[in-house]
Structure formats: structure tokens, C-alpha cells
Amino acid sequence: MSETDPICPTSARVQEVSRETPDTVTLRLAHTAGEGERLFLPGQFNMLYAFGVGEIPISVSGEPRLAGELAHTVRAVGAVSDALVALKRGASLGLRGPYGTGWPLALCQGQHVLVVGGGLGLAPLRPAVLQLLEEGACRQLSILYGARTPDDLLFRRDLERWAHRCEVRLTVDRAAAGWQGRVGVVPALLPEVEIEPATCIAFVCGPEVMMRFTARELRLRGLSSERIFLSLERNMKCGIGLCGHCQLGPVFVCKDGPVLRLDRVGALLEAREL
Ligand SMILES: Cc1cc2nc3c(=O)[nH]c(=O)nc-3n(C[C@H](O)[C@H](O)[C@H](O)COP(=O)(O)OP(=O)(O)OC[C@H]3O[C@@H](n4cnc5c(N)ncnc54)[C@H](O)[C@@H]3O)c2cc1C
Ligand code: FES
């Protein structure tokens, strides 16, 4: 990562490619930070550049302090993400960042942390879960996660491991043969969880409609807006507050976000035209 020019990518090499789902891979990139050094805050993103194709924001999905590994989980949805998903071990790509705000882990001490993810939204939440489990600072951790089908659930081995250490509830929109879990949308999992509004804090990331309904349900359960954090997505170019591409009303998602408190963005999310 460049320390001199924040908009100039440096070259990174793909160390390992793991297939998560039919259209999604995790790219583990080699980096030069020292052992134990914190490379990013959970929730932050990097701009990844597929040479000759283009550059897109991708959240960091790995362990914040794992030396020698910087993981990004990418779903192929268009030209640049297709090119990134097609990269093989040893390939080069451009990297700049990390950018944006992270999940407020400092507020989690002694709290019940509710992690609510939909689809690819589990990727930016994963480093927060890893850090919370490692540090053991929160009182209770509940993970509610859903995807379109069982095959679309990300990080399945992690989910199995996490289920031994905290509450994990999964759901899918459409079941498939062998699926014995719940079928339905992610916000429908919330009534299954006991919430004490004064000591609960929620981190939510997923499709915007899922975040809207989750935030509404959490508010109905008594959680104040100051205790609900969302990670937003907007089209980005510069990633550092210069171009205005990511603007949502007065908010620059790249630099004021992507992680924002509900009281800052709630009304903007309800306005569909923004
Ligand atoms: C802060 C942030 C973090 C992100 N983290 C991840 C991640 O961890 N993994 C991942 O796979 N993707 C992530 N994304 C989304 C990713 O950046 C887009 O999928 C990517 O920009 C698409 O570019 P493309 O050239 O592949 O496709 P395009 O051809 O540009 O777009 C394909 C389709 O996706 C839509 N689209 C493009 N960009 C966005 C966007 N930002 N939000 C919503 N819809 C969009 C387009 O309208 C189009 O319908 C993140 C985006 C942001 C802003
Ligand atoms: S992406 Fe340029 S201002 Fe946010």
C-alpha cells in the first residue's frame, strides 16, 4: 500500500484463491506488513485494480492481524469483479487502501453484539467476528446470516466453528435438497434472539432492502439508532472523498462510511431515489 500517494495503487500478488460459492472467491494477497501489525480496521475496504480492466472497492474479509495475508472475498457481477475472480495464484493486481470507517469494536466491551449479514455482507463482518472472538471482550455474540440458497452461504467452515463459540442462526431464501435449516429472510431471524436494548449493539451488512428491514425491526425491539451500525455500498471511483461518485445526500460513503450509525443515514436509506 502506498504511503506517499493515496490514489496510486501498489502491486500485490495473489497467494491463494479459495472458492467460496459458484460465483465468489476469496483472494489472499501477499503483503509486506510486519508480524502482528494491524493492516486495517474490520469493516474497511481496499480498491482492487484488475490491470487493463478497472478498479473497484472490495472489503477486507480476513483476520486483521494475520501476518502475510490480506484477504478479499469477491463476487463476479461485472467486468472488474469477473476479472478479479478469474485471477490465479501468482497473478498480480493493483491495491490501494485501506479506506473508510470500521465497525466500532471499542464500543463492544461487555455488550451483546448482534452481527446481521445478508449474502456477501458477511465478508466485511468476518474480520469483526474474528476479532471479537479472539479478544473475548463482548458479553455475548449472536450471528444471524442468510443467503439466497444453501450454496450461496459464505465461509461455511467458519460458521460451523463459530457455532461452537457463539449463537449462529442461518436462513436461506430458497431451500435445496438436504437443507434442514430455516427458510426465509434474515430480518425474520431477529424474533428468535433475546435482545436487551440497553446493552445490545448491532452490526448490519447486506442488500439495502435487508438492512432497511433489519434496522426497522431492531428499532421496534427497542434498540436506539445510536446502537445500530450499517455498512453501505455505493459506486465508487476515488475512494477518498474527491470525486463525489459515492455521495448519499451529504454523506460520502467512501470516507464518512462505509460503516455508519443508523441515526446518520436512516432517513437517507428510506429515500429510494438517493
Ligand atoms: C465499500 C464497498 C465494499 C464492497 N465490498 C465488496 C466485497 O467485499 N466483495 C464484492 O464482491 N463486492 C464488494 N463491493 C461491491 C463491488 O465494488 C461491486 O460489485 C463492483 O464495483 C462491481 O464492479 P464490476 O465492474 O464488476 O461490475 P459493474 O459492471 O460495474 O456492475 C455490475 C452490477 O453491479 C452494480 N453495482 C456496481 N457497483 C455497485 C455497488 N458498489 N453497489 C451496488 N451495486 C453495484 C451495477 O449497477 C451493475 O448492476 C463493495 C462495494 C463497496 C462500495
Ligand atoms: S468515491 Fe470519490 S468521493 Fe467517494
Side-chain angles (χ1 to χ4, degrees):
M1 287 173 238
S2 172
E3 282 171 14
T4 45
D5 182 352
I7 210 145
C8 178
T10 55
S11 178
R13 195 166 290 280
V14 177
Q15 257 186 345
E16 192 190 321
V17 182
S18 331
R19 186 149 293 277
E20 302 287 350
T21 73
D23 60 3
T24 305
V25 300
T26 295
L27 302 172
R28 291 192 166 75
L29 309 179
H31 66 78
T32 53
E35 188 151 350
E37 189 178 328
R38 190 180 295 276
L39 295 163
F40 63 93
L41 300 173
Q44 285 189 306
F45 66 95
N46 281 314
M47 297 298 290
L48 299 190
Y49 176 37
F51 293 124
V53 188
E55 192 184 42
I56 55 173
I58 299 289
S59 306
V60 189
S61 63
E63 150 66 47
R65 277 165 298 201
L66 200 60
E69 171 185 304
L70 189 56
H72 298 80
T73 301
V74 190
R75 173 170 292 162
V77 296
V80 184
S81 51
D82 285 355
L84 291 172
V85 166
L87 291 176
K88 302 279 182 262
R89 187 165 181 263
S92 294
L93 70 161
L95 171 75
R96 63 186 174 91
Y99 297 135
T101 53
W103 302 105
L105 294 176
L107 302 180
C108 295
Q109 188 80 32
Q111 303 287 304
H112 174 196
V113 183
L114 200 54
V115 167
V116 189
L120 206 53
L122 193 58
L125 289 164
R126 183 173 177 264
V129 171
L130 292 172
Q131 191 166 324
L132 287 168
L133 287 174
E134 185 195 312
E135 291 178 354
C138 62
R139 176 172 52 82
Q140 189 185 339
L141 177 62
S142 304
I143 299 170
L144 313 185
Y145 176 51
R148 288 169 298 190
T149 70
D151 280 349
D152 292 310
L153 289 167
L154 292 180
F155 311 127
R156 264 173 284 183
R157 252 178 299 158
D158 284 333
L159 290 165
E160 279 165 26
R161 270 198 298 264
W162 296 343
H164 295 293
R165 302 187 58 194
C166 65
E167 180 180 19
V168 174
R169 295 180 186 270
L170 304 179
T171 186
V172 295
D173 295 343
R174 289 190 310 280
W179 175 254
Q180 297 185 336
R182 295 169 194 76
V183 178
V185 294
V186 179
L189 292 173
L190 283 168
E192 298 178 15
V193 182
E194 262 186 51
I195 292 175
E196 169 47 62
T199 56
C200 183
I201 180 165
F203 297 168
V204 188
C205 185
E208 218 152 282
V209 63
M210 167 255 167
M211 292 202 285
R212 246 197 319 266
F213 279 103
T214 301
R216 256 185 233 167
E217 179 67 24
L218 289 170
R219 296 283 294 117
L220 287 173
R221 297 284 300 276
L223 224 66
S224 69
S225 306
E226 290 83 9
R227 291 184 158 271
I228 303 171
F229 294 83
L230 312 175
S231 179
L232 298 187
E233 267 198 24
R234 282 293 176 277
N235 276 317
M236 290 185 183
K237 285 282 176 225
C238 70
I240 54 170
L242 297 177
C243 71
H245 264 81
C246 66
Q247 226 172 325
L248 176 67
V251 172
F252 280 42
V253 174
C254 67
K255 103 177 147 55
D256 302 321
V259 177
L260 287 149
R261 229 169 58 174
L262 181 64
D263 54 335
R264 184 117 193 249
V265 289
L268 297 169
L269 277 187
E270 296 290 340
R272 303 291 172 94
E273 67 275 13
L274 285 178

PDB file of all heavy atoms in Angstrom, residues 1 20 33 48 74-75 109 124 132 141 150-151 159 162-163 168 180 182 197 220 228 268 274:
ATOM      1  N   MET A   1       0.828  -1.191   0.000  1.00  0.00           N
ATOM      2  CA  MET A   1       0.000   0.000   0.000  1.00  0.00           C
ATOM      3  C   MET A   1       0.870   1.251   0.000  1.00  0.00           C
ATOM      4  O   MET A   1       1.835   1.324   0.718  1.00  0.00           O
ATOM      5  CB  MET A   1      -0.923   0.006   1.212  1.00  0.00           C
ATOM      6  CG  MET A   1      -2.046  -1.006   1.048  1.00  0.00           C
ATOM      7  SD  MET A   1      -3.036  -1.184   2.520  1.00  0.00           S
ATOM      8  CE  MET A   1      -2.807  -2.929   2.803  1.00  0.00           C
ATOM      9  N   GLU A  20     -15.492 -19.849  -2.657  1.00  0.00           N
ATOM     10  CA  GLU A  20     -16.483 -19.824  -1.570  1.00  0.00           C
ATOM     11  C   GLU A  20     -17.821 -20.365  -2.046  1.00  0.00           C
ATOM     12  O   GLU A  20     -18.460 -21.156  -1.365  1.00  0.00           O
ATOM     13  CB  GLU A  20     -16.682 -18.385  -1.061  1.00  0.00           C
ATOM     14  CG  GLU A  20     -15.424 -17.707  -0.550  1.00  0.00           C
ATOM     15  CD  GLU A  20     -14.968 -18.240   0.801  1.00  0.00           C
ATOM     16  OE1 GLU A  20     -15.720 -19.005   1.431  1.00  0.00           O
ATOM     17  OE2 GLU A  20     -13.838 -17.913   1.201  1.00  0.00           O
ATOM     18  N   ALA A  33       3.514  -6.054   5.509  1.00  0.00           N
ATOM     19  CA  ALA A  33       3.473  -5.573   6.897  1.00  0.00           C
ATOM     20  C   ALA A  33       4.130  -6.569   7.837  1.00  0.00           C
ATOM     21  O   ALA A  33       4.200  -7.761   7.543  1.00  0.00           O
ATOM     22  CB  ALA A  33       2.025  -5.354   7.326  1.00  0.00           C
ATOM     23  N   LEU A  48      -9.269  -2.509  -5.392  1.00  0.00           N
ATOM     24  CA  LEU A  48      -8.506  -3.535  -6.112  1.00  0.00           C
ATOM     25  C   LEU A  48      -8.579  -3.228  -7.603  1.00  0.00           C
ATOM     26  O   LEU A  48      -9.658  -2.956  -8.146  1.00  0.00           O
ATOM     27  CB  LEU A  48      -9.079  -4.931  -5.849  1.00  0.00           C
ATOM     28  CG  LEU A  48      -9.084  -5.417  -4.403  1.00  0.00           C
ATOM     29  CD1 LEU A  48      -9.443  -6.911  -4.342  1.00  0.00           C
ATOM     30  CD2 LEU A  48      -7.744  -5.187  -3.709  1.00  0.00           C
ATOM     31  N   VAL A  74     -14.619 -11.808  -3.277  1.00  0.00           N
ATOM     32  CA  VAL A  74     -15.159 -11.079  -4.431  1.00  0.00           C
ATOM     33  C   VAL A  74     -16.205 -11.912  -5.140  1.00  0.00           C
ATOM     34  O   VAL A  74     -15.978 -13.089  -5.437  1.00  0.00           O
ATOM     35  CB  VAL A  74     -14.037 -10.751  -5.453  1.00  0.00           C
ATOM     36  CG1 VAL A  74     -14.555  -9.775  -6.516  1.00  0.00           C
ATOM     37  CG2 VAL A  74     -12.813 -10.188  -4.775  1.00  0.00           C
ATOM     38  N   ARG A  75     -17.359 -11.286  -5.433  1.00  0.00           N
ATOM     39  CA  ARG A  75     -18.391 -11.952  -6.243  1.00  0.00           C
ATOM     40  C   ARG A  75     -18.353 -11.386  -7.661  1.00  0.00           C
ATOM     41  O   ARG A  75     -18.300 -10.167  -7.859  1.00  0.00           O
ATOM     42  CB  ARG A  75     -19.777 -11.726  -5.638  1.00  0.00           C
ATOM     43  CG  ARG A  75     -20.896 -12.253  -6.524  1.00  0.00           C
ATOM     44  CD  ARG A  75     -22.222 -12.246  -5.819  1.00  0.00           C
ATOM     45  NE  ARG A  75     -22.228 -13.216  -4.739  1.00  0.00           N
ATOM     46  CZ  ARG A  75     -23.102 -13.206  -3.737  1.00  0.00           C
ATOM     47  NH1 ARG A  75     -24.015 -12.281  -3.664  1.00  0.00           N
ATOM     48  NH2 ARG A  75     -23.040 -14.145  -2.812  1.00  0.00           N
ATOM     49  N   GLN A 109     -17.262  -3.672  24.360  1.00  0.00           N
ATOM     50  CA  GLN A 109     -16.876  -4.170  25.686  1.00  0.00           C
ATOM     51  C   GLN A 109     -18.108  -4.429  26.560  1.00  0.00           C
ATOM     52  O   GLN A 109     -18.900  -3.511  26.788  1.00  0.00           O
ATOM     53  CB  GLN A 109     -15.986  -3.098  26.338  1.00  0.00           C
ATOM     54  CG  GLN A 109     -15.331  -3.498  27.626  1.00  0.00           C
ATOM     55  CD  GLN A 109     -14.088  -4.359  27.384  1.00  0.00           C
ATOM     56  OE1 GLN A 109     -13.408  -4.185  26.379  1.00  0.00           O
ATOM     57  NE2 GLN A 109     -13.819  -5.282  28.299  1.00  0.00           N
ATOM     58  N   PRO A 124     -17.430  -8.172   4.935  1.00  0.00           N
ATOM     59  CA  PRO A 124     -16.880  -7.114   5.805  1.00  0.00           C
ATOM     60  C   PRO A 124     -17.138  -7.338   7.286  1.00  0.00           C
ATOM     61  O   PRO A 124     -16.490  -6.716   8.125  1.00  0.00           O
ATOM     62  CB  PRO A 124     -17.590  -5.842   5.315  1.00  0.00           C
ATOM     63  CG  PRO A 124     -18.752  -6.286   4.524  1.00  0.00           C
ATOM     64  CD  PRO A 124     -18.459  -7.672   4.008  1.00  0.00           C
ATOM     65  N   LEU A 132     -13.651 -10.102  17.624  1.00  0.00           N
ATOM     66  CA  LEU A 132     -14.472 -10.216  18.836  1.00  0.00           C
ATOM     67  C   LEU A 132     -14.250 -11.568  19.508  1.00  0.00           C
ATOM     68  O   LEU A 132     -14.137 -11.664  20.729  1.00  0.00           O
ATOM     69  CB  LEU A 132     -15.958 -10.040  18.494  1.00  0.00           C
ATOM     70  CG  LEU A 132     -16.394  -8.605  18.164  1.00  0.00           C
ATOM     71  CD1 LEU A 132     -17.793  -8.597  17.556  1.00  0.00           C
ATOM     72  CD2 LEU A 132     -16.351  -7.725  19.416  1.00  0.00           C
ATOM     73  N   LEU A 141     -22.226 -12.867  21.767  1.00  0.00           N
ATOM     74  CA  LEU A 141     -22.155 -12.600  20.331  1.00  0.00           C
ATOM     75  C   LEU A 141     -23.205 -13.456  19.635  1.00  0.00           C
ATOM     76  O   LEU A 141     -23.259 -14.678  19.853  1.00  0.00           O
ATOM     77  CB  LEU A 141     -20.753 -12.951  19.819  1.00  0.00           C
ATOM     78  CG  LEU A 141     -20.483 -12.822  18.325  1.00  0.00           C
ATOM     79  CD1 LEU A 141     -20.666 -11.383  17.845  1.00  0.00           C
ATOM     80  CD2 LEU A 141     -19.049 -13.283  17.991  1.00  0.00           C
ATOM     81  N   PRO A 150     -28.594 -22.459   0.003  1.00  0.00           N
ATOM     82  CA  PRO A 150     -27.520 -23.007   0.851  1.00  0.00           C
ATOM     83  C   PRO A 150     -26.146 -22.908   0.167  1.00  0.00           C
ATOM     84  O   PRO A 150     -25.139 -22.658   0.835  1.00  0.00           O
ATOM     85  CB  PRO A 150     -27.941 -24.465   1.057  1.00  0.00           C
ATOM     86  CG  PRO A 150     -29.430 -24.450   0.900  1.00  0.00           C
ATOM     87  CD  PRO A 150     -29.734 -23.399  -0.131  1.00  0.00           C
ATOM     88  N   ASP A 151     -26.104 -23.056  -1.163  1.00  0.00           N
ATOM     89  CA  ASP A 151     -24.824 -22.972  -1.879  1.00  0.00           C
ATOM     90  C   ASP A 151     -24.225 -21.576  -1.842  1.00  0.00           C
ATOM     91  O   ASP A 151     -23.046 -21.383  -2.131  1.00  0.00           O
ATOM     92  CB  ASP A 151     -25.014 -23.374  -3.352  1.00  0.00           C
ATOM     93  CG  ASP A 151     -25.044 -24.878  -3.501  1.00  0.00           C
ATOM     94  OD1 ASP A 151     -24.713 -25.565  -2.522  1.00  0.00           O
ATOM     95  OD2 ASP A 151     -25.403 -25.357  -4.593  1.00  0.00           O
ATOM     96  N   LEU A 159     -18.537 -20.640   9.852  1.00  0.00           N
ATOM     97  CA  LEU A 159     -19.845 -20.634  10.524  1.00  0.00           C
ATOM     98  C   LEU A 159     -19.972 -21.838  11.452  1.00  0.00           C
ATOM     99  O   LEU A 159     -20.480 -21.729  12.570  1.00  0.00           O
ATOM    100  CB  LEU A 159     -20.975 -20.624   9.489  1.00  0.00           C
ATOM    101  CG  LEU A 159     -21.127 -19.311   8.708  1.00  0.00           C
ATOM    102  CD1 LEU A 159     -22.002 -19.500   7.463  1.00  0.00           C
ATOM    103  CD2 LEU A 159     -21.716 -18.210   9.591  1.00  0.00           C
ATOM    104  N   TRP A 162     -17.701 -21.120  14.425  1.00  0.00           N
ATOM    105  CA  TRP A 162     -18.258 -20.068  15.280  1.00  0.00           C
ATOM    106  C   TRP A 162     -19.431 -20.596  16.100  1.00  0.00           C
ATOM    107  O   TRP A 162     -19.655 -20.159  17.219  1.00  0.00           O
ATOM    108  CB  TRP A 162     -18.709 -18.872  14.429  1.00  0.00           C
ATOM    109  CG  TRP A 162     -17.584 -18.181  13.719  1.00  0.00           C
ATOM    110  CD1 TRP A 162     -16.253 -18.284  14.003  1.00  0.00           C
ATOM    111  CD2 TRP A 162     -17.692 -17.279  12.613  1.00  0.00           C
ATOM    112  NE1 TRP A 162     -15.525 -17.503  13.127  1.00  0.00           N
ATOM    113  CE2 TRP A 162     -16.378 -16.875  12.276  1.00  0.00           C
ATOM    114  CE3 TRP A 162     -18.755 -16.767  11.873  1.00  0.00           C
ATOM    115  CZ2 TRP A 162     -16.107 -15.981  11.223  1.00  0.00           C
ATOM    116  CZ3 TRP A 162     -18.496 -15.872  10.827  1.00  0.00           C
ATOM    117  CH2 TRP A 162     -17.187 -15.485  10.512  1.00  0.00           C
ATOM    118  N   ALA A 163     -20.204 -21.537  15.518  1.00  0.00           N
ATOM    119  CA  ALA A 163     -21.402 -22.040  16.212  1.00  0.00           C
ATOM    120  C   ALA A 163     -21.037 -22.727  17.532  1.00  0.00           C
ATOM    121  O   ALA A 163     -21.882 -22.865  18.409  1.00  0.00           O
ATOM    122  CB  ALA A 163     -22.163 -22.999  15.306  1.00  0.00           C
ATOM    123  N   VAL A 168     -25.221 -18.839  16.441  1.00  0.00           N
ATOM    124  CA  VAL A 168     -25.231 -18.646  14.984  1.00  0.00           C
ATOM    125  C   VAL A 168     -26.575 -19.128  14.453  1.00  0.00           C
ATOM    126  O   VAL A 168     -26.968 -20.276  14.704  1.00  0.00           O
ATOM    127  CB  VAL A 168     -24.087 -19.442  14.307  1.00  0.00           C
ATOM    128  CG1 VAL A 168     -24.194 -19.348  12.786  1.00  0.00           C
ATOM    129  CG2 VAL A 168     -22.721 -18.945  14.761  1.00  0.00           C
ATOM    130  N   GLN A 180     -31.759 -28.439   6.145  1.00  0.00           N
ATOM    131  CA  GLN A 180     -32.738 -28.668   7.217  1.00  0.00           C
ATOM    132  C   GLN A 180     -32.917 -27.446   8.081  1.00  0.00           C
ATOM    133  O   GLN A 180     -33.607 -27.491   9.095  1.00  0.00           O
ATOM    134  CB  GLN A 180     -32.274 -29.853   8.060  1.00  0.00           C
ATOM    135  CG  GLN A 180     -32.242 -31.105   7.210  1.00  0.00           C
ATOM    136  CD  GLN A 180     -31.913 -32.345   7.997  1.00  0.00           C
ATOM    137  OE1 GLN A 180     -31.292 -32.269   9.044  1.00  0.00           O
ATOM    138  NE2 GLN A 180     -32.332 -33.482   7.475  1.00  0.00           N
ATOM    139  N   ARG A 182     -33.524 -23.041   8.455  1.00  0.00           N
ATOM    140  CA  ARG A 182     -34.672 -22.162   8.217  1.00  0.00           C
ATOM    141  C   ARG A 182     -34.720 -21.676   6.780  1.00  0.00           C
ATOM    142  O   ARG A 182     -33.694 -21.563   6.110  1.00  0.00           O
ATOM    143  CB  ARG A 182     -34.586 -20.937   9.129  1.00  0.00           C
ATOM    144  CG  ARG A 182     -34.702 -21.261  10.591  1.00  0.00           C
ATOM    145  CD  ARG A 182     -34.345 -20.034  11.411  1.00  0.00           C
ATOM    146  NE  ARG A 182     -34.128 -20.371  12.805  1.00  0.00           N
ATOM    147  CZ  ARG A 182     -33.035 -20.967  13.264  1.00  0.00           C
ATOM    148  NH1 ARG A 182     -32.074 -21.304  12.436  1.00  0.00           N
ATOM    149  NH2 ARG A 182     -32.907 -21.238  14.557  1.00  0.00           N
ATOM    150  N   PRO A 197     -32.185  -4.027  25.034  1.00  0.00           N
ATOM    151  CA  PRO A 197     -31.820  -2.847  24.242  1.00  0.00           C
ATOM    152  C   PRO A 197     -30.711  -1.984  24.845  1.00  0.00           C
ATOM    153  O   PRO A 197     -29.936  -1.375  24.110  1.00  0.00           O
ATOM    154  CB  PRO A 197     -33.120  -2.041  24.151  1.00  0.00           C
ATOM    155  CG  PRO A 197     -34.203  -3.011  24.438  1.00  0.00           C
ATOM    156  CD  PRO A 197     -33.632  -4.073  25.333  1.00  0.00           C
ATOM    157  N   LEU A 220     -37.939  -1.465  16.474  1.00  0.00           N
ATOM    158  CA  LEU A 220     -39.178  -1.918  17.133  1.00  0.00           C
ATOM    159  C   LEU A 220     -38.871  -2.721  18.393  1.00  0.00           C
ATOM    160  O   LEU A 220     -39.648  -2.718  19.339  1.00  0.00           O
ATOM    161  CB  LEU A 220     -40.002  -2.794  16.175  1.00  0.00           C
ATOM    162  CG  LEU A 220     -40.704  -2.046  15.034  1.00  0.00           C
ATOM    163  CD1 LEU A 220     -41.340  -3.034  14.053  1.00  0.00           C
ATOM    164  CD2 LEU A 220     -41.767  -1.102  15.603  1.00  0.00           C
ATOM    165  N   ILE A 228     -27.105   1.004  16.342  1.00  0.00           N
ATOM    166  CA  ILE A 228     -27.222   0.221  15.105  1.00  0.00           C
ATOM    167  C   ILE A 228     -26.249   0.777  14.069  1.00  0.00           C
ATOM    168  O   ILE A 228     -26.295   1.967  13.747  1.00  0.00           O
ATOM    169  CB  ILE A 228     -28.674   0.269  14.575  1.00  0.00           C
ATOM    170  CG1 ILE A 228     -29.647  -0.239  15.648  1.00  0.00           C
ATOM    171  CG2 ILE A 228     -28.810  -0.540  13.278  1.00  0.00           C
ATOM    172  CD1 ILE A 228     -31.114  -0.039  15.303  1.00  0.00           C
ATOM    173  N   LEU A 268     -31.915   8.762   4.961  1.00  0.00           N
ATOM    174  CA  LEU A 268     -31.412   8.683   3.569  1.00  0.00           C
ATOM    175  C   LEU A 268     -31.742   7.316   2.979  1.00  0.00           C
ATOM    176  O   LEU A 268     -32.073   7.203   1.800  1.00  0.00           O
ATOM    177  CB  LEU A 268     -29.895   8.899   3.543  1.00  0.00           C
ATOM    178  CG  LEU A 268     -29.411  10.267   4.020  1.00  0.00           C
ATOM    179  CD1 LEU A 268     -27.902  10.273   4.198  1.00  0.00           C
ATOM    180  CD2 LEU A 268     -29.816  11.335   3.007  1.00  0.00           C
ATOM    181  N   LEU A 274     -32.340   8.193  -3.652  1.00  0.00           N
ATOM    182  CA  LEU A 274     -30.938   8.575  -3.427  1.00  0.00           C
ATOM    183  C   LEU A 274     -29.994   7.426  -3.737  1.00  0.00           C
ATOM    184  O   LEU A 274     -30.272   6.290  -3.461  1.00  0.00           O
ATOM    185  CB  LEU A 274     -30.749   9.008  -1.975  1.00  0.00           C
ATOM    186  CG  LEU A 274     -31.301  10.388  -1.628  1.00  0.00           C
ATOM    187  CD1 LEU A 274     -31.092  10.681  -0.153  1.00  0.00           C
ATOM    188  CD2 LEU A 274     -30.643  11.471  -2.450  1.00  0.00           C
TER     189      LEU A 274
END
